[in-house]
Amino acid sequence: MTFYKRLNREFFSRNTITVAKELLGKYLIRETEKGTIVGEIKEVEAYLGSEDKACHSYKNKKTERTKVMYEKPGTLYIYLIYGMYHCLNVITEPEAIPCAVLIRQVYPINGIELMINNRKIRTGKNFKNLTDGPGKLCMAYNITKYEFNGEDSCANDSKLFFAYNKEVFDKTVVALKRIGINYAEEDKDMLLRFKLIK
DNA sequence: AATGCGATTCTCT
DNA sequence: GAGAATCGCATTT
């Protein structure tokens, strides 16, 4: 049983772009009764709140769905997309500033059998395909809004959280356009998707 | 390897 | 009632 040092409130309370980039290489961890699922974060997107046309909280829009974006940093924001897939986000910036980072891709580290079962796919050894999209990783981790939306990932008893990895010094990050937000007019071209290369 | 399309239900107007 | 921070399968190169 390995010990993982959880990312705390101060980590998420900072500037969204800083948090997004620093999440690359960290661990996303889900503890279940059958074992622990661990993946290394490879790709994220930053959503910049009231000023960002791609963000659900653009112009401080507050609805039943988006209200958790105004919670404490470290809170999980999970919503359903296309009627079938969930997307996992973590809230950033000080409380009441509705910004978030979308987790787009992780690399499977631990609990791979659990991920395969959750995905309900028969697979060879194509590990990376298990969690290389926001909907896929939620399936592999069995993350739903019914269970985790509004949960505090910084709480000591949280079963879904982020943790430190050993520091990587030659981390290569590329900045790209975000995906699936063509409605966001000029903001759709902002380079707010960050990806770890090797 | 690249492209196209249908799936499916929640959320907001 | 429309449309959505996507995926998997089928089809074609």
Side-chain angles (χ1 to χ4, degrees):
Chain A
M1 187 60 190
T2 319
F3 176 76
Y4 294 102
K5 187 173 191 290
R6 183 184 297 260
L7 301 191
N8 62 19
R9 189 91 56 220
E10 287 68 42
F11 182 93
F12 295 106
S13 185
R14 298 172 299 159
N15 170 275
T16 304
I17 294 174
T18 303
V19 173
K21 289 179 179 169
E22 288 194 19
L23 275 173
L24 294 172
K26 300 292 193 292
Y27 289 134
L28 174 64
I29 300 175
R30 162 97 211 246
E31 290 173 350
T32 75
E33 294 178 358
K34 294 179 180 171
T36 303
I37 294 173
V38 182
E40 184 179 322
I41 298 171
K42 290 294 185 191
E43 186 177 352
V44 299
E45 283 179 4
Y47 285 86
L48 305 183
S50 62
E51 304 293 309
D52 179 0
K53 289 185 179 177
C55 189
H56 290 168
S57 58
Y58 177 54
K59 288 192 201 164
N60 281 316
K61 186 163 90 157
K62 195 168 187 178
T63 65
E64 191 58 30
R65 181 175 64 154
T66 63
K67 67 181 185 187
V68 307
M69 295 193 73
Y70 296 79
E71 292 288 326
K72 290 179 292 208
T75 300
L76 301 174
Y77 173 43
I78 298 159
Y79 56 82
L80 193 69
I81 186 69
Y82 300 110
M84 355 163 81
Y85 302 110
H86 290 276
C87 287
L88 171 66
N89 300 251
V90 59
I91 302 306
T92 58
E93 311 269 350
E95 184 164 356
I97 302 179
C99 300
V101 174
L102 167 69
I103 311 301
R104 286 196 60 84
Q105 183 175 352
V106 306
Y107 184 81
I109 303 290
N110 256 334
I112 290 169
E113 287 302 319
L114 293 170
M115 296 193 207
I116 292 169
N117 288 338
N118 289 335
R119 287 289 308 280
K120 299 177 177 65
I121 51 170
R122 47 193 167 77
T123 178
K125 45 205 166 181
N126 253 343
F127 282 36
K128 56 175 182 262
N129 297 346
L130 285 171
T131 51
D132 62 352
K136 289 180 178 182
L137 76 89
C138 283
M139 269 186 272
Y141 276 67
N142 196 18
I143 295 169
T144 64
K145 71 196 183 85
Y146 309 106
E147 192 170 357
F148 288 110
N149 188 39
E151 287 290 303
D152 178 12
S153 74
C154 300
N156 285 322
D157 61 348
S158 163
K159 300 300 182 202
L160 179 57
F161 60 95
F162 301 89
Y164 288 96
N165 190 352
K166 57 181 181 297
E167 280 310 312
V168 182
F169 293 102
D170 56 350
K171 203 156 97 169
T172 306
V173 176
V174 291
L176 305 159
K177 292 182 188 180
R178 292 175 292 181
I179 290 175
I181 54 158
N182 287 329
Y183 56 84
E185 301 176 17
E186 72 273 15
D187 289 346
K188 74 178 163 52
D189 294 328
M190 292 201 290
L191 300 177
L192 292 176
R193 176 160 59 107
F194 303 105
K195 189 167 184 168
L196 202 55
I197 309 294
K198 281 187 288 212

